[in-house]
Amino acid sequence: MSRLAVEQVTKRYERVLAVDSVSFVAEPGRIFGLLGPNGAGKTSTIRMIAYITVPDAGTITLGGQPVGPATQQRMGYLPEERGLYRKLRVGEQLLYLAQLKGMTARAAETAIRHWLGRFGAADWYGKKVEELSKGMQQKVQFIATVAHDPQLVILDEPFSGLDPINAELLQDVIAELRAAGRTILFASHRMEQVEQLCDDLCLIAEGRVILSGALREVKRQFGSNTVTLAFDGGDAWVDALAADGAVQVLSRTAGHLTARLLNDTPSRRVLDAALAETTELYRFELHEPPLDEIFRMAVGQSKDQNIRASEERAMVSNSAASS
Amino acid sequence: MNKIALIARSEYLRRVRSKTFILTTLLAPLLALAVVVLPVLMAAVTEGDTVRTIHIVDGTGQVRDALEEALPETYVVQRRTATPLDSLRAEVLDGRLDGYFVIPDGVLEGRAEATYYSRGGGGLAQQGTLRSAYQSVVRETRIRAAGADDLVLALLDARASLDTVTLSEEGDAAGGVIASSVVAYVLGLLIYVAVLLYGVMVMRGVIEEKSNRIVEVIASSARPFELMMGKVLGIGAMGLTQLVAWSVLMLAMSAAAGPVLALVLSPEVATTPGVNLPEGVDAADLPFDPNDLPAMLGSLLSPGLLLGFVGFFLGGYLLFSSLFAAVGSAVDQESDAQSLQLPIMMPIILPVFFLPAVLTEPDSAFSVFLSIFPFSSPILMVVRMAATTVPAWQVLLSFALLVATFVGMIALAARIYRVGILMYGKKATLRDLWRWVRTA
């Protein structure tokens, strides 16, 4: 069983601090979501875990062993930017990549044929990659990531470019890997996917961890302060509530509303307004905020803290200068 | 299996099986042969079928008939009464006559010069034909006038070429300076072309892996150094394969080319063995007897020289291709590589400019220096080894310096490569590369 532990890892590129004292632990048999907007430091962190680059400070261990050439053999990495040799045949390509992970040619071929079968692609073995569609190439790349049965599977936006059927197939496979006790690191900025898949998560922004823990804990932390309604009829009452400062609209389409309750507004107030104004009400629910909302709040808070911290520093230096 | 070996093997197999490799390997020798053979064939063919009408104004009265005899059948010499030079000139100008000889009295005694007038053109072959016919006729007439008999003439015509033989510990090499200079030139240029060709191939391969992003997958399985060296060695092995294939094909074709050439040039004598030269070319004018060509090549390309060629080719290739890999890693597409390539191209191209100087004076201090200096030694040491007998200590020193340099350059290149393959978007400058070397 291989536990991935990232401790106080820092990476600086020239003048940019890409990763700033990041720590988290991904447990075997669980899916760990690494979330953050583009440029937050996800890829930089993953590259250090994959031992493609080395941290300036901090340690990364897999199963207690510091990452290095040995741990590279026990992990598979699906980068966000996919890449295969276009002129090479699928079988040959997968064989080469699996052998680079330390497999013998014979074992690699068995594994590759198994996985191609699993993805309904047994007859691709002799096809050139450039003959395959984008979605098919994606599957080939996924097989390259898992063919050597790695302890740690790193998937950076694995669903991008997949149609719903293949996305579901991939979800099933990921669930199997999880059941088999693999450690799965899932990086994404698609919050609804993370919400569906992950057991634990870690939000990073501007190179820093701003929120981490089990998905359920994190959501509970933010409380049940969000309402979702489905209705027929006018929605001018929504504007009235928002103008009063009672709610903040999160998403709003014809006949659908998700809003956050502000200033301890009771949910009843929204329900009353809706009952009075709409012709039909199909759904009213009070629930935890969606992950993207949590993310937005967490990023906002962390920015406020930064500003406050820098203001305090400025004040301290001012008072130091004046004294 | 060791990862470098694994990567090199994949690289090698992928390239050797490609259509491009197979086509260039087969077609390049054909092309080279065509460049050598076609002009000869063209000359022979075009020379053969133009009939020229000429006139001979003979002031001596002794040369005309012999000259008519000596000229090839395609020259029709008009017989007519004395015509003023003015009207001959007019006839040439309006095309009724192709040309005329004016052979003044006194040429036999060397007091005057003969002249051939024509509307120009006709080319080198015609000039050569006319000149050699005229010279041999005049020479023969002079000798006969002096009272010599046929035996003397036969003796004078007998072949009297000077063969030069190079003495060395490994055995004597026939053929002499001109032939060994040709070999030196060819080998030097071959190393130049091969290092450049395969070096750029390494660069392209790195750029390709970077731009289709496979490099990130491989970097999560192997160290960047292993990836770079695997690529360099794989392409190097491919290059060696191609060079060997080319040599075998060239030898086979030049063995076959002689008889084929003879068949085309003079079908009636094609059954006689050996190479027949086109008319107008005297065997004694050539630096070597073409019939001895295979044997001579064998003695010129001694095992020592071949070993030196392979060794210095590999050394030069490793030195420059690792730098090409570094440049490839720093750019996203080939067109961005131009300015970064320049510092690598210069030391490859410059030795070619010194090549003639080294050939003329292979033992001068300057030549010795250039053949030992690591950036020019891959080309120029091989040139010297072919052109002269190089003391063993110089070869060993040169090779040791080359090895030390390419080890250093590979280390340098690996540091650039490591950073470069993960950098996208920004166009790197030489200064950036230097910063990567220091910080990596």
Side-chain angles (χ1 to χ4, degrees), chain B residues 139 279 315 329 365:
Chain B
R139 196 172 51 154
E279 231 163 327
S329 77

Side-chain angles (χ1 to χ4, degrees), chain B residues 35-88:
Chain B
V35 166
V36 176
V37 170
L38 275 183
V40 178
L41 285 182
M42 297 290 272
V45 170
T46 49
E47 175 72 0
D49 52 13
T50 344
V51 176
R52 291 191 177 82
T53 313
I54 64 167
H55 186 68
I56 299 173
V57 183
D58 184 4
T60 64
Q62 300 173 56
V63 176
R64 190 200 148 100
D65 293 346
L67 183 56
E68 187 177 355
E69 189 112 327
L71 283 169
E73 283 167 15
T74 52
Y75 288 88
V76 177
V77 179
Q78 287 182 342
R79 299 202 162 265
R80 55 175 162 186
T81 48
T83 319
L85 292 179
D86 285 359
S87 43
L88 282 176

Side-chain angles (χ1 to χ4, degrees), chain B residues 58-402:
Chain B
D58 184 4
T60 64
Q62 300 173 56
V63 176
R64 190 200 148 100
D65 293 346
L67 183 56
E68 187 177 355
E69 189 112 327
L71 283 169
E73 283 167 15
T74 52
Y75 288 88
V76 177
V77 179
Q78 287 182 342
R79 299 202 162 265
R80 55 175 162 186
T81 48
T83 319
L85 292 179
D86 285 359
S87 43
L88 282 176
R89 179 186 165 84
E91 280 179 47
V92 169
L93 284 177
D94 63 22
R96 273 177 291 156
L97 198 61
D98 286 301
Y100 58 97
F101 276 95
V102 176
I103 304 170
D105 190 20
V107 289
L108 292 176
E109 293 78 32
R111 286 184 283 109
E113 299 278 333
T115 314
Y116 179 73
Y117 296 90
S118 73
R119 295 219 303 161
L124 287 174
Q126 192 198 193
Q127 220 177 73
T129 309
L130 293 174
R131 178 168 295 144
S132 74
Y134 171 75
Q135 277 173 354
S136 63
V137 166
V138 169
R139 196 172 51 154
E140 207 177 308
T141 317
R142 283 177 186 165
I143 292 165
R144 282 195 193 284
D149 61 11
D150 287 350
L151 181 63
V152 176
L153 280 174
L155 284 174
L156 279 171
D157 278 346
R159 193 182 155 83
S161 63
L162 175 65
D163 286 338
T164 46
V165 172
T166 315
L167 300 180
S168 76
E169 306 299 329
E170 298 159 16
D172 302 347
V177 173
I178 297 179
S180 63
S181 293
V182 171
V183 169
Y185 215 103
V186 168
L187 291 185
L189 284 182
L190 206 57
I191 289 199
Y192 160 73
V193 169
V195 166
L196 204 60
L197 189 72
Y198 303 134
V200 168
M201 210 176 271
V202 167
M203 186 184 78
R204 287 216 184 107
V206 171
I207 295 174
E208 191 201 335
E209 277 180 354
K210 192 180 164 186
S211 65
N212 72 14
R213 308 274 174 163
I214 185 114
V215 74
E216 192 148 351
V217 174
I218 298 183
S220 74
S221 308
R223 308 304 311 132
F225 177 77
E226 294 170 325
L227 176 54
M228 187 183 96
M229 282 318 287
K231 185 172 236 28
V232 163
L233 294 177
I235 293 178
M238 179 216 75
L240 215 52
T241 307
Q242 191 160 51
L243 288 179
V244 169
W246 277 342
S247 318
V248 171
L249 284 172
M250 289 294 269
L251 279 181
M253 280 197 299
S254 50
V260 170
L261 209 56
L263 192 74
V264 176
L265 292 175
S266 39
E268 68 274 14
V269 288
T271 43
T272 53
V275 180
N276 291 281
L277 292 163
E279 231 163 327
V281 179
D282 192 345
D285 290 347
L286 288 177
F288 49 81
D289 182 347
N291 293 317
D292 292 345
L293 198 61
M296 210 180 64
L297 269 181
S299 64
L300 279 173
L301 295 170
S302 64
L305 179 59
L306 287 179
L307 196 68
F309 176 80
V310 171
F312 279 94
F313 159 68
L314 287 180
Y317 167 76
L318 286 173
L319 169 58
F320 290 110
S321 64
S322 58
L323 293 176
F324 273 116
V327 166
S329 77
V331 299
D332 292 355
Q333 54 205 18
E334 212 181 320
S335 55
D336 293 345
Q338 302 283 350
S339 60
L340 295 178
Q341 272 183 69
L342 198 68
I344 314 175
M345 300 287 231
M346 289 312 284
I348 304 180
I349 295 171
L350 273 180
V352 177
F353 289 107
F354 292 120
L355 207 157
V358 172
L359 262 184
T360 336
E361 289 282 348
D363 298 318
S364 72
F366 185 59
S367 300
V368 171
F369 167 76
L370 284 177
S371 70
I372 292 176
F373 182 67
F375 286 90
S376 54
S377 65
I379 294 175
L380 295 179
M381 179 51 94
V382 173
V383 167
R384 280 190 67 217
M385 285 174 79
T388 181
T389 309
V390 183
W393 70 266
Q394 288 182 5
V395 179
L396 292 179
L397 173 66
S398 170
F399 195 70
L401 279 177
L402 182 60

Side-chain angles (χ1 to χ4, degrees), chain A residues 138-158:
Chain A
Q138 182 111 328
K139 289 193 208 171
V140 172
Q141 185 116 41
F142 183 81
I143 295 174
T145 311
V146 295
H148 58 293
D149 194 17
Q151 297 290 311
L152 170 66
V153 182
I154 304 172
L155 305 171
D156 197 347
E157 303 288 358

